[in-house]
Amino acid sequence: MKTVIKIAWRNIWRNKLRSLTVIISMILGLFSGLFAVSMMLGLNDQRMDSAVDSYLSHIQIHHPSFNENFDLKHTIQNFDSLNLFLENDQSVKSFSSRTIISGMASTAHGSAGIRLIGIDPASESNVTNVHKSMVKGTYFNSIKSKPALIGKKLAEKLQLDIKKKIYLTFVDENGDQQRIKLKVEGVFKTASTLFDRTNIYMKREDLQKVLANNSAIHEIGIICKNSNTINNRVDGLSKAS
C-alpha cells in the first residue's frame, strides 16, 4: 500500500503545472458549488421568513374546506374556545383573527380578482409586518369611514392613490351580489408580488357589518415564541379544535 501511495505521489508531481492546474480547478469547483448551495439555502430561508412575517404566520387555522373556494359559510365555529385557548397558551406569542372574502375590485381604470381580508389592526400588527411595509399613506389611523390598504402592484394596475375610492363586488351567503365602497388609506409592498397584486385589507368590524355577521371568522394567524414548537402547537390546536 505504501508503495502505491509513493508512486501516486511521485506521478502527481512529475508534471507540476498540470497537477497544480487540476488541483486549483478542483478547489475552485468545490468552493463555487458550496457557495452556490449556501446562497440558495440562505435565500430560501430569507424568502420563507419574509412570507411568514408578511402574510403567512407560523400557523393558520381555518375551516377544513375554507381554502378550497373561500366559501363565506366556512367560518371557524368554535372561535371563542380557540381564542381562550390561545390567550392562555404560553408558547403563543401573538395571534390575529381575520374575516376573508373573495371578490372583484374595480375602478374607472379596470378590475381585478382580489381577496379582501378584514383584520383588527392592533392584533394584526403583532402577527404580520404589513404595518411596517407601507410605502404610501398610513396604517388605519387617518380615514374613519371604511379605510382600505392595498398592495403596490394592485394600486398600479387599477391606478389607485391615497383617498381614492375602490369598489368591491362579492357574492354573499344567500347568493346575492353585494358591493362595498372603500377609500384607500395606504399602499403596502411585501416580499411577494403576487400577494400585493391580489390582497386588500380593511377593518374586520367594517367587513362583518357588511356581511351582517359579527362572528364571521375565517382564519386565525398565529406566531409562536419558538419556531421549534410549531409542530407541537399544531397537534395541540388540532386536539383543542
Side-chain angles (χ1 to χ4, degrees):
M1 188 65 180
K2 290 182 179 180
T3 303
V4 174
I5 294 175
K6 286 181 179 180
I7 294 173
W9 181 256
R10 290 174 181 174
N11 188 55
I12 290 173
W13 299 111
R14 186 188 307 172
N15 189 327
K16 293 182 179 180
L17 180 61
R18 179 197 64 189
S19 298
L20 286 172
T21 302
V22 172
I23 292 171
I24 292 173
S25 298
M26 292 176 63
I27 292 173
L28 290 175
L30 287 171
F31 175 79
S32 299
L34 290 172
F35 179 78
V37 170
S38 299
M39 178 171 286
M40 187 184 306
L41 292 174
L43 288 173
N44 285 338
D45 289 342
Q46 185 179 27
R47 189 181 295 111
M48 180 58 70
D49 290 341
S50 296
V52 168
D53 293 338
S54 298
Y55 53 91
L56 279 181
S57 62
H58 288 147
I59 302 172
Q60 289 185 355
I61 301 175
H62 309 98
H63 183 283
S65 302
F66 177 71
N67 279 336
E68 295 177 4
N69 53 15
F70 295 102
D71 194 323
L72 291 176
K73 297 178 181 179
H74 293 155
T75 59
I76 298 174
Q77 299 298 320
N78 52 347
F79 172 71
D80 291 337
S81 61
L82 276 174
N83 189 71
L84 182 61
F85 178 84
L86 292 172
E87 286 179 348
N88 296 321
D89 192 333
Q90 297 300 316
S91 65
V92 173
K93 181 179 180 181
S94 55
F95 65 95
S96 179
S97 54
R98 303 156 184 157
T99 302
I100 301 174
I101 62 175
S102 58
M104 184 70 67
S106 60
T107 66
H109 303 284
S111 60
I114 56 92
R115 188 174 70 152
L116 182 60
I117 308 173
I119 62 170
D120 173 66
S123 61
E124 188 70 20
S125 64
N126 294 323
V127 175
T128 61
N129 64 1
V130 174
H131 64 293
K132 296 180 180 179
S133 304
M134 307 301 298
V135 295
K136 189 180 292 187
T138 57
Y139 180 78
F140 293 118
N141 58 17
S142 62
I143 296 177
K144 295 182 179 180
S145 179
K146 295 181 181 177
L149 307 180
I150 64 173
K152 187 172 183 292
K153 285 296 181 181
L154 183 61
E156 291 173 353
K157 180 177 180 180
L158 300 181
Q159 299 182 35
L160 284 166
D161 206 342
I162 304 304
K163 294 186 179 180
K164 295 293 185 181
K165 295 176 182 177
I166 179 172
Y167 295 90
L168 306 175
T169 306
F170 68 97
V171 178
D172 64 18
E173 294 184 16
N174 300 318
D176 298 324
Q177 191 176 82
Q178 301 290 342
R179 199 179 194 203
I180 316 173
K181 181 177 72 174
L182 303 178
K183 186 177 288 187
V184 178
E185 181 178 338
V187 178
F188 62 85
K189 184 179 184 300
T190 68
S192 172
T193 301
L194 178 62
F195 185 85
D196 294 349
R197 189 186 296 123
T198 56
N199 288 272
I200 297 177
Y201 287 99
M202 68 178 293
K203 289 184 178 180
R204 189 183 65 207
E205 58 182 344
D206 290 341
L207 182 54
Q208 288 178 339
K209 286 180 182 178
V210 173
L211 298 176
N213 185 352
N214 293 330
S215 61
I217 300 295
H218 299 105
E219 179 177 277
I220 302 176
I222 303 169
I223 294 294
C224 296
K225 292 180 180 178
N226 188 339
S227 59
N228 295 325
T229 65
I230 292 175
N231 290 332
N232 291 335
R233 286 302 85 216
V234 171
D235 294 338
L237 288 169
S238 297
K239 294 176 181 178
S241 58

